[in-house]
Amino acid sequence: MRRMGTLRTPLPANRRELIYKVMLHETRRNGVFAYLYTSPDALLCSYDCHYPDLANAMEDWADEVERWDELDDPLPHCQHDCPLPVRVKGREEGRPQWGSYEILKDGKWRDFAP
């Protein structure tokens, strides 16, 4: 399961960028990944970090997040940090074309530029 949260107030990521939202992605074997987004409308994260479990991740972000929205886990070969069904072209065939994406829309994979 994944949870997307918008921050009450953006937090500094570094000297030039702010974090506007966070997605927590709980995995079965690898703990929880927190994906951090440096634009309010970003679909792919700019940074990520790891937590051993969901309780630690939720505690860390509890005071910062306005509300959490639950999202389904990503489809096979899709980007874990994207709330939409987006994948790297060719990834499902073992020949990824890094930087080229496609989105599942109306049952068909179509070119996509995030």
Side-chain angles (χ1 to χ4, degrees):
M1 181 61 67
R2 300 180 296 171
R3 291 174 171 88
M4 178 71 83
T6 301
L7 302 189
R8 297 178 204 285
T9 304
L11 296 173
N14 54 43
R15 291 182 185 172
R16 299 181 319 254
E17 297 175 302
L18 296 173
I19 302 296
Y20 289 90
K21 55 187 180 176
V22 60
M23 179 192 293
L24 300 180
H25 179 208
E26 184 177 23
T27 66
R28 291 183 188 173
R29 295 186 181 138
N30 298 316
V32 175
F33 292 91
Y35 304 117
L36 311 175
Y37 302 82
T38 56
S39 170
D41 57 350
L43 292 176
L44 300 174
C45 76
S46 299
Y47 303 98
D48 60 34
C49 56
H50 181 263
Y51 292 90
D53 56 52
L54 185 59
N56 281 316
M58 293 294 288
E59 181 181 336
D60 228 16
W61 291 97
D63 293 337
E64 307 299 338
V65 172
E66 190 172 327
R67 78 166 204 274
W68 292 103
D69 294 314
E70 290 199 11
L71 304 171
D72 290 332
D73 280 335
L75 295 174
H77 306 291
C78 286
Q79 297 295 113
H80 293 181
D81 64 330
C82 186
L84 303 175
V86 170
R87 67 184 184 190
V88 172
K89 285 184 180 181
R91 183 175 235 168
E92 76 286 357
E93 300 158 350
R95 290 175 286 157
Q97 299 172 34
W98 302 112
S100 296
Y101 297 96
E102 51 191 3
I103 187 169
L104 184 62
K105 193 169 186 175
D106 299 326
K108 295 186 179 187
W109 290 100
R110 304 173 191 276
D111 287 345
F112 180 72

